[in-house]
Amino acid sequence: MSSKLKGGKTPPRLFEDLSFYNPQLLPPNSYNILTEAALQFEASPTQSPPRKLVKRGCRHKWALKSEQCDHIELDSGPGSSSLYTAAALCIFCRCHIDLTIDFREAGLGLVPCPKEDAPLHHFIYSRNENCGLFKVQEDVNVGSWMDMQRFVCSSPSCSARLTIRMRSPIITPKWEALLLDKSLIKSRAEKAISDEPSRFEGHAIPSPIEVIGNLRTYIRNAMTSHEERRIPSNNKKWLLCFGEPCADMLKQIGFTRTEDGWFPPRPDVTDTAPFSNPLNILLNDVENELAVLLNLQPDTERHMAKVHVPLHPAMAEFERILGSKGYKKTIASRTVDLTQEDQEPEHPFYAGLGSSMDFHDDLICFTYERQIACDAENSPYYLECLQGIADGRGSEDLQTKVAIEASSGKFSVRDLREAYRSLGLDMYSLFYDDDTVIGSFQSRIADAPRQEPDLRRALYMIGKHRKSVRIQHVASNGKHLFFGYNGPTKSTFGFLLTIDLDVKTYEQALSWLGATDDMVDEFLVSMYGVKVHESPANEELARQCMVLIAERRKSTGLKAWLETGQLGEMEMDFGQAYTRLGIGDRTIDDDLVITSYNINMQETPSQIKDLKRALAAIAKSRNSFYLQSFLDSSASEHKVSEWPVGLENIGNTCYLNSLLQFYFTVKPLRDLVLNFDKYKMQIDESAFYKKQVGSRKVSKKEVERAQRFVYELQKLFQSMISIPDDKVTPEQELARLTLISASGEESFRRKSILSTHRPSLGDINGQPILGPLPASPVIVASADTVMSNNGISNLDSSHNTTPRSEDDVSSDDTLVETPALDIKTDNDLMVLDSIEKEQQQGQLTENKENFAPAIVEILHPKTPDRTPWATVELSPLRANSEEHLQSPQIESNGVQSPSELTARTITEFPAPPNRPPPVPPRNKPDESKQAIQQEVEIGAQQDVTEVIANVLFQLQCAIRAENIDDSGEQIDQIKTLFFAKQKSYITNDRGEIRSNEEFVSDIKVDVASGSRDIYAALDGAFDVQEVEVGGSLEPQYAAISQLPPVLQILVQRAQFDPETKRPFKSNNHLELKETIYMDRYMDSSDSDLAQRRQACWAWKKELAKLDARRIELTKTEMDMDMPAVLRSTAEYLRQCSSDENGDPIEVEPELLASLERASSNVAAELSGIEEQRRTLSTSINSQFADLRNLPYRLHSVFIHRGMVNSGHYWIYIYDFVNSMWRKYNDGYVTEVTEPKIIFEAEQSTRPATPYFLVYVRDDLKSGLVESVCRDVAEGERFQEDTIMADNETGTAELFEWSQNLQPAEGRAQVVEDVWGSGGQASQAHFW
């Protein structure tokens, strides 16, 4: 029975074993306490648990080497790109240790431990060729060694990989003697004194502490000083402490010798922690070893020398990076020092479970579950460990767990040993067959019939142990078997177990056939044949098993086989389905499954049937309504004339596609673009004198570029209306003009001129990164939420070179990062072997939006459906042979109209040779196309609000002004449609009020501090707050003086952590409402509204104080609220005063009474706080409930899933005509049958969250937005004078400036006539 254990270890167990680990002293093939599971302990009534003793080597105690640690930030957890290192050395033997935990191979959907279902890591040893003890050949020190061991977390949803490296000390015994041996120090010093007696007159012999301290000072100075200081050869301190005998040691640690002295080591002083320079690491190791040697000197000598070098324990850092800091412990362990040598020895059963003696019962159960999951073969021993710990602790929870395990048919080694003994058999014998066991059972029954129930129970356990169905059937005999377990408290747990001769469940059927759940149907038919061939008498039972499996799997293939003997059309097994879609991580969410499906559909459209079978199998295995809805929606063919088109992703443009879809649905903007020639600004030098957009003058070059952009957008909109297909591929020229601003374009071209290489976006290991860089550090304003300005000025800064202002912080959450790949030069064609291809395809599936277009083509070679040269050209366009219109060429006299556009000629590629050449053919790259693609890739660094600002800026530049305001700002259709006016008020200490009014394109709201609804988020943009002005704090608040018809709201999810100095994404839920009322936020002279605001601000201030007090009373280090802490303290003292087994502690009764009263008082205070909070929240929520004159309806929700610098984007848009939500996910547009996925919080560690919202004025919505605009009649082209059908409000009259502009002074009357007076606020605030 005693097979070798193969279980794992939790971090506390690993730390305990690590303290006894001395790899250099292990004999060959001996037991390794670190890498091997604990040895089985056979419990005996007379045997007590052994005490762990260190017979050889050192029991380590670790001191931290902080300069070599890559610390995990406090209150933060690991992510998919996290790697942490903790370095330390032993304060006794000075061996060095590095613990590195790596999460970088995490797939999407994986959640690192600790978490709710896995409170600790559970590490399994992972042996490979790099593990073990090695001699360090290049080390000059004889006997130097290095030991490396690797572990992986066994949790299915955790990717943690742990590497433990131990190294020998740098300071050898010989060097230690030179530094510490007083006789050697004395001989060196006396020689120096005797050589120059007059010069050294009065100098004493240095002590070992001085020698070590001086050497440490030299090294410390070298590590921190930028100046190189020579140590003269006649330096008295140097000669007395070191001299010629120490020359070899000094050279080996980096000192260099010259004719006139010594130079200290020359480390890289710019190298910051964690050190990466080898010399820095060496010197830091020596410095720490010297600190250890100093602390090992007698206390009296250290006090006399006034030397104090603190050593910081490393255990806290070890626990932090391995996620075991503050793990749940037993109550006893909180008051007993478990590190004392004289404590009760730890029972081996704890080591057997990979746990520690101080584990709480919940953690004991967790480690038991992980052990049997990783090492099912030794489940009986693990149950014995659990049973023994339950008995030793007298824990009812653990005893109940043992009883539950027994009720499921499990048994311990103790039970099994007794079962064999009752049948007169030896449990460890290998020579018994089933007939022998059954014969022994039958003979025992014949001799002692009254013991039949006990003997049947014993036979059943033996049958389970031997995995013998036959023995189990004989044991059951169709009867009930009673199993009981007596706990240490004499309580009995029992259960009845009935074993039938027939197989009745799916699991039993698989077990009887010897199959597993992941086996495909074809293989199960083969297993059936093997079973029937081995035992024809079992044919009926085997067929019954196949019936159960067919019904459970709902397999049409197996059902057809049972009826006809022939397999029908087989449903795809879900394991095959994941493989078919190229998904390696089965825990990824449904959206990424669909993304992988879409990628495969684009590559191999001829295999659509097989791909749908795979997606259907995954949907069925997950019971996913979302995936099934996607299949249903894709299966139902919408008429192209009644359904919006999708936009193909041309590489890192998912958020651009979302933005273009939104703009297309805005009818006034769409009409302006389609009829652009009516509104475009004439290229006239005199016209630029007054043109000002975004508070700055606009150049002729910017206007020309902007008009090219509008023409490109016009081409896309025309295709979206008339193309007889369900998706459109945007041109790269449009993507370039949209993603990159004019200033960014010039910056790119300057770099291109100055260098023959493409502008670098950074590199990793010398390889360029092709795509957006991570979010640059940002500084978040102290204000909870602020309004954004039009965002135009910050477009002039070059990429990632100028520190971003606070205005730029608005949307760092929308940055998309491209992972570094092994990219070849532009003229090289990558040839991937099967392993590399599979790995990179997996990366693409998990994060497809973070690859540049060329890389997408490389990783997914074209199928035979495509043209043979597609993989060489690396074009992101869907059809390589189609003709595409070029952007209009700008001449000196103006911009050409679309009628002057010419068609692009596609170069034909020569046919391939008859035999493959030695080197693959390489086409000469199209330099103009390559330049555009490079600019698109660099432009992808822009975050989404920068893209929106760039679009709005270019639209305004391209069109002529309607009017000019007092500041010189251009007033036009875009400004009127999207921009609000915000007015800020600041009151100084003298009561003087200052105000400032400006245009803003969106409202920024914040969810960093917690989940909230849309009103609470908007309140943060307008509520009063204190700002520092001239050294004093002054109250400031904002209001809206003019609302736009289309209201844009930006959710600031990218936040900056001032402690870690890193950005992070807030995934807190924002509760959206289909209709919001903006009355409360308007700038008004109404005294009633002002009083309501003042009252609401006061309530919120009081609520904040209550929340702070509640946190004080509920958040403690003991994971209990304060009343519970006080009650537990009183109970503990009460137990101490009545201890019957030891000396009771005298406790004053008044103290116990005081604690009880304090607990009651705090509980009452908490109850009062909750009541006050409810009252205040009700008052706040109802304060403006009656103000409903300015309703806005939710139209678009931009969604982001991912982290602060990477992820995927899509948009939901509401169709007011057809009353439905649609999801626009790149090339696919599907109906949202369950709108709750938009409005409800997703239960996920990395949920999809809204980051940009669009509301439209309710009474004008039919004239403002239109989701479906299609005209796909064969042979009919879009005409400029075509007018789309207006809805009830009348689009043509509503925005008359989109068809035939009137003078600015006449437009106000048109607006009043069409929009209605609706009260003073509804007119003045909107125009």
Side-chain angles (χ1 to χ4, degrees), residues 1002-1042:
D1002 57 55
I1003 303 173
K1004 291 188 180 70
V1005 300
D1006 189 7
V1007 292
S1009 58
S1011 299
R1012 60 192 62 183
D1013 68 10
I1014 185 64
Y1015 281 123
L1018 285 169
D1019 288 349
F1022 303 103
D1023 282 351
V1024 68
Q1025 56 186 321
E1026 291 185 334
V1027 296
E1028 185 174 350
V1029 179
S1032 61
L1033 295 178
E1034 298 180 356
Q1036 176 190 18
Y1037 73 93
I1040 300 176
S1041 55
Q1042 178 178 301

Side-chain angles (χ1 to χ4, degrees), residues 976-977 979-980 1015 1018 1040 1042-1049 1073-1079 1082 1188-1195 1216 1254-1261 1264 1315 1322 1325-1326:
T976 305
L977 186 62
F979 284 75
Y1015 281 123
L1018 285 169
I1040 300 176
Q1042 178 178 301
L1043 274 168
V1046 179
L1047 179 64
Q1048 302 178 122
I1049 300 173
K1073 296 185 182 298
E1074 293 188 13
T1075 304
I1076 58 174
Y1077 299 90
M1078 299 299 293
D1079 307 64
M1082 303 309 299
R1188 293 173 172 259
N1189 294 322
L1190 297 176
Y1192 273 73
R1193 290 288 301 276
L1194 183 61
H1195 170 253
F1216 290 104
V1254 180
Y1255 282 84
V1256 296
R1257 184 170 173 179
D1258 182 47
D1259 56 344
L1260 301 176
K1261 59 182 180 294
L1264 288 172
W1315 286 27
S1322 63
H1325 292 319
F1326 280 86

Side-chain angles (χ1 to χ4, degrees), residues 59 128 227 423 445 480 554 791 890 1047 1094 1116 1120 1321:
R59 180 171 185 180
N128 59 43
E227 299 180 6
L423 295 184
I445 287 183
H480 298 287
K554 298 180 180 178
I890 305 300
L1047 179 64
Q1094 294 288 346
T1116 67
M1120 295 186 291

Side-chain angles (χ1 to χ4, degrees), residues 399 403-404 406-407 481-486 491-497:
Q399 291 166 9
I404 292 173
S407 68
L481 301 182
F482 178 82
F483 285 78
Y485 162 65
N486 292 321
S491 58
T492 300
F493 300 90
F495 64 93
L496 285 172
L497 181 66

Side-chain angles (χ1 to χ4, degrees), residues 68-315:
Q68 297 182 39
C69 295
D70 188 0
H71 301 278
I72 183 173
E73 290 77 6
L74 295 176
D75 300 325
S76 66
S80 60
S81 60
S82 300
L83 183 144
Y84 304 115
T85 299
L89 79 165
C90 178
I91 65 174
F92 302 125
C93 69
R94 291 182 285 107
C95 71
H96 298 263
I97 185 171
D98 301 316
L99 269 63
T100 301
I101 187 163
D102 189 351
F103 299 90
R104 292 176 299 179
E105 287 190 0
L108 291 178
L110 294 188
V111 182
C113 302
K115 49 198 170 187
E116 184 176 355
D117 60 336
L120 290 173
H121 287 293
H122 182 260
F123 290 111
I124 300 292
Y125 181 55
S126 175
R127 178 181 296 278
N128 59 43
E129 64 276 6
N130 297 321
C131 292
L133 181 68
F134 307 95
K135 291 185 177 180
V136 184
Q137 301 294 337
E138 66 274 12
D139 200 306
V140 295
N141 296 330
V142 178
S144 296
W145 53 268
M146 193 271 286
D147 181 79
M148 182 169 67
Q149 308 296 348
R150 299 181 187 275
F151 301 81
V152 296
C153 182
S154 70
S155 173
S157 58
C158 179
S159 64
R161 294 171 295 147
L162 173 66
T163 302
I164 299 177
R165 297 180 183 88
M166 289 186 70
R167 295 181 283 114
S168 56
I170 305 297
I171 299 177
T172 65
K174 179 181 177 181
W175 296 359
E176 184 178 352
L178 288 172
L179 298 173
L180 297 179
D181 191 316
K182 293 182 178 181
S183 62
L184 295 179
I185 296 173
K186 182 178 179 182
S187 65
R188 295 198 301 269
E190 288 178 344
K191 184 180 184 307
I193 294 172
S194 64
D195 289 344
E196 298 180 85
S198 60
R199 187 164 176 265
F200 285 94
E201 184 177 356
H203 284 77
I205 305 297
S207 67
I209 290 181
E210 292 177 284
V211 174
I212 299 172
N214 288 334
L215 179 57
R216 187 170 180 270
T217 300
Y218 284 127
I219 294 175
R220 192 67 180 171
N221 291 340
M223 295 284 287
T224 57
S225 175
H226 291 264
E227 299 180 6
E228 187 177 30
R229 298 182 180 179
R230 181 178 61 84
I231 304 171
S233 57
N234 62 348
N235 182 285
K236 287 189 275 187
K237 181 190 298 183
W238 181 267
L239 292 173
L240 287 173
C241 291
F242 306 110
E244 188 62 30
C246 296
D248 290 341
M249 175 188 70
L250 295 170
K251 290 178 182 178
Q252 291 176 16
I253 61 176
F255 285 80
T256 55
R257 192 173 193 175
T258 62
E259 294 181 357
D260 55 349
W262 288 81
F263 280 94
R266 298 178 177 87
D268 182 2
V269 295
T270 63
D271 192 14
T272 58
F275 288 153
S276 58
N277 185 284
L279 181 57
N280 289 50
I281 295 174
L282 172 67
L283 294 177
N284 184 251
D285 286 345
V286 174
E287 181 187 352
N288 280 285
E289 289 190 35
L290 292 174
V292 168
L293 292 176
L294 279 174
N295 279 276
L296 291 176
Q297 302 309 302
D299 292 343
T300 54
E301 295 184 14
R302 286 192 288 113
H303 291 323
M304 291 178 62
K306 297 182 180 179
V307 173
H308 176 65
V309 181
L311 297 176
H312 302 287
M315 191 54 63

